[in-house]
Amino acid sequence: MKFLEIIDNITVRDDWLSEYKKYVPLFIAQAKRDVNWDKWDSDIFNEFFERSSEQCVASLKQGYFTNQEKKNIKNKWTELSPLLKQLAIQQNVCNYELYSKIDNLIRTCTVNHKRSATHRLIASLQPSLLSNIVDQKSLITLQKYLKNNVDDIEVPSFSNSWFELSHNILKFYQNNKKPGFNNMDIITYPWQTLEFFQRKRVGRICWNEHNWERPSGTEGKSTNSETYEKEKGYGHEEWLFDKTKLIDGYCYGYLRPIVHYRNKYLEQKIFDLYLYSINENTKVRYWLGKIKKAEVIDRQESKRVFSIYKANGWYDEMIQQLKAVGANVDAFKQADEDYFAVIKYKPDDLNLLDTPVPFEHTDKAVSSTYYNLLKFVKEPKSVIEYNAGFVFKKGNNNKSTTSKVNIRKQKFEKNLIHNQIQDQIYNILCKEHGKENVGTENQLGTRGQIDIVVKLEKGYVFYEIKTSNNIRECIRDAIGQLLEYAHYDNEENIVELVIITPNKLTDSAKKYLLKLRQKYNIPITYKYFDLKNEKIINCFNKEFV
């Protein structure tokens, strides 16, 4: 993920930022006076020191000084004040020795080492040098999130000392900020980036072959007789992506990872949920996509939704869908209304991949396959690769003679003749262009794979192989694929799109392709593969190729 894409996904709290911009310059001005605490402006001192929560620099959920500790610190303010003055004066100097002096002095006034509270005081006086994430563990977590997810800028490894880590992370944001933004504008970015990643969770849902819009039966579901979906023949998440039943503009759904800890998740309320599923027949894991800004709902709202479903006839529709796949309808009717729905989301916030992407069971994106919400680490390696643009890869990706993919009730057969033709064409093109310049099954993100790619000095040639005996069908299917491969999220220079089949080009088909080339300037061409002689025959005159 690009760094600025992450920044674009965070929502700046303008109310908090305006308070920060208002008070921090006043803190600095007061500290420069080097006076005892009772000589500070009372409102400013209250915001700087007395206020324990929801303060303009940090809310300090980690805990602030006790009243007695505050009293102890104020008794030593004449010792502390000169140190604070140095901080206020040195706006462009990281003085780690000075930070330690302040920390050590305050430590003599507290029962426990109140690091975060001390960090807040120091960060309040050096806004251009220190992040307002005052908790050391949170800074370390943010650094890990950045290293795992930023792919366009190198994120350095920083010291785990709060002072150094705080300074270096803020410097990283400052060095990579958008044009036109000053350092005060971006002061909220580090902790809001942390919130952005902490809002991201990963959860497993039951298997479904109807795109999780309606039940699909027992195929691919758990074979463990003790599981609900095995016993009842369905899972409550099978309607999770059904966007036809809106209530006040929201889709409502069940999510097992939320159910057991609903009260806990109600505290945070909103999550970005990355979802995956496992086909228990094949044991293959599939990454499905995400629901942005999914909101956890309470029992009362679930009951309200249930009553609306019944009134609108949607509940009866769900029962008919369960009957159609032989599921246990009685079990569904006995389900608790409190848990009929546990989340809601806006339809536009459902961001599914074009097709579920398989990922390895060893991938660190998912550390446990139990139904719970995991902390997001990063997307699986295969998903990152699928989301990437076209990258030329030389060589022949050997294929089995037959392969099946069973996702969303679609079954694709890549038959023997396709693979044989592909291998033969690959060998011919390698002799013509060199092995370094020919590749098969080149990945194009979630859109699929290009049968054959030839790399030329002026750009790339994409080959799409079709094996149907109907030449019009071959051309119709190939054109859409080739145009998408060449232009959908692809910036590479594609100089030619080749349809290649074992069918001789008819006059009608040739006229059609020439019309597309001449009228729409599409660099499409057709080549006939002679199976008997293992030859590629160009069906257009050279001036058209």
Side-chain angles (χ1 to χ4, degrees), residues 162-300:
W162 179 83
F163 298 112
E164 293 182 41
L165 187 54
S166 177
H167 171 65
N168 285 315
I169 280 186
L170 184 60
K171 186 177 178 181
F172 175 80
Y173 277 81
Q174 291 169 347
N175 290 342
N176 296 289
K177 64 179 181 287
K178 289 183 175 181
F181 282 70
N182 61 44
N183 290 344
M184 289 291 273
D185 291 331
I186 67 167
I187 195 66
T188 67
Y189 285 8
W191 70 263
Q192 290 195 282
T193 303
L194 182 62
E195 282 190 342
F196 167 71
F197 281 112
Q198 288 178 332
R199 194 176 71 213
K200 294 154 77 87
R201 296 298 180 98
V202 178
R204 177 184 173 183
I205 60 177
C206 71
W207 183 254
N208 179 276
E209 295 190 349
H210 291 325
N211 198 29
W212 290 267
E213 294 172 349
R214 68 183 191 278
S216 62
T218 57
E219 183 70 24
K221 289 189 173 62
S222 176
T223 55
N224 185 340
S225 59
E226 296 182 1
T227 62
Y228 185 92
E229 61 186 58
K230 174 63 177 176
E231 181 184 353
K232 312 300 184 185
Y234 75 99
H236 287 279
E237 294 143 337
E238 303 212 49
W239 295 273
L240 184 59
F241 302 155
D242 179 5
K243 296 192 289 185
T244 65
K245 301 173 178 63
L246 298 183
I247 300 174
D248 301 326
Y250 284 93
C251 302
Y252 284 82
Y254 179 95
L255 197 64
R256 186 174 171 187
I258 296 284
V259 169
H260 297 301
Y261 300 98
R262 186 188 213 165
N263 290 337
K264 171 187 173 182
Y265 295 132
L266 276 168
E267 294 177 9
Q268 183 167 333
K269 194 76 171 175
I270 296 175
F271 296 91
D272 291 337
L273 300 175
Y274 289 77
L275 302 171
Y276 74 98
S277 189
I278 301 176
N279 184 322
E280 290 290 354
N281 289 348
T282 63
K283 303 301 181 185
V284 176
R285 304 177 179 196
Y286 292 92
W287 197 262
L288 309 178
K290 67 180 176 180
I291 302 174
K292 292 176 61 179
K293 301 176 184 176
E295 187 173 341
V296 182
I297 65 170
D298 59 23
R299 289 173 169 81
Q300 288 70 33

Side-chain angles (χ1 to χ4, degrees), residues 395-409:
N396 188 16
N397 178 25
N398 291 323
K399 301 152 291 294
S400 60
T401 56
T402 302
S403 61
K404 284 187 179 181
V405 182
N406 189 356
I407 299 173
R408 299 183 186 172
K409 211 62 179 177

Side-chain angles (χ1 to χ4, degrees), residues 27-85:
F27 296 159
I28 294 170
Q30 291 287 306
K32 285 180 178 179
R33 295 170 60 216
D34 187 12
V35 294
N36 198 32
W37 67 268
D38 56 354
K39 301 298 182 183
W40 278 54
D41 177 278
S42 59
D43 177 58
I44 297 173
F45 187 76
N46 179 68
E47 187 71 20
F48 176 71
F49 180 76
E50 297 283 8
R51 193 170 180 180
S52 59
S53 63
E54 296 303 317
Q55 190 249 18
C56 68
V57 174
S59 62
L60 272 183
K61 294 179 181 178
Q62 300 83 10
Y64 194 54
F65 304 122
T66 66
N67 288 335
Q68 182 58 52
E69 288 169 341
K70 289 180 187 178
K71 185 176 180 180
N72 296 341
I73 294 169
K74 286 191 283 188
N75 287 338
K76 289 196 174 185
W77 203 268
T78 54
E79 296 177 52
L80 181 62
S81 184
L83 302 179
L84 298 180
K85 179 180 179 179

Side-chain angles (χ1 to χ4, degrees), residues 15 28 55 103 154 156 182 210 321 391 412 445 452 514 532:
D15 56 339
I28 294 170
Q55 190 249 18
D103 186 38
E154 182 179 357
N182 61 44
H210 291 325
Q321 290 169 344
V391 177
F412 302 93
I452 300 178
L514 288 175
K532 182 178 179 181

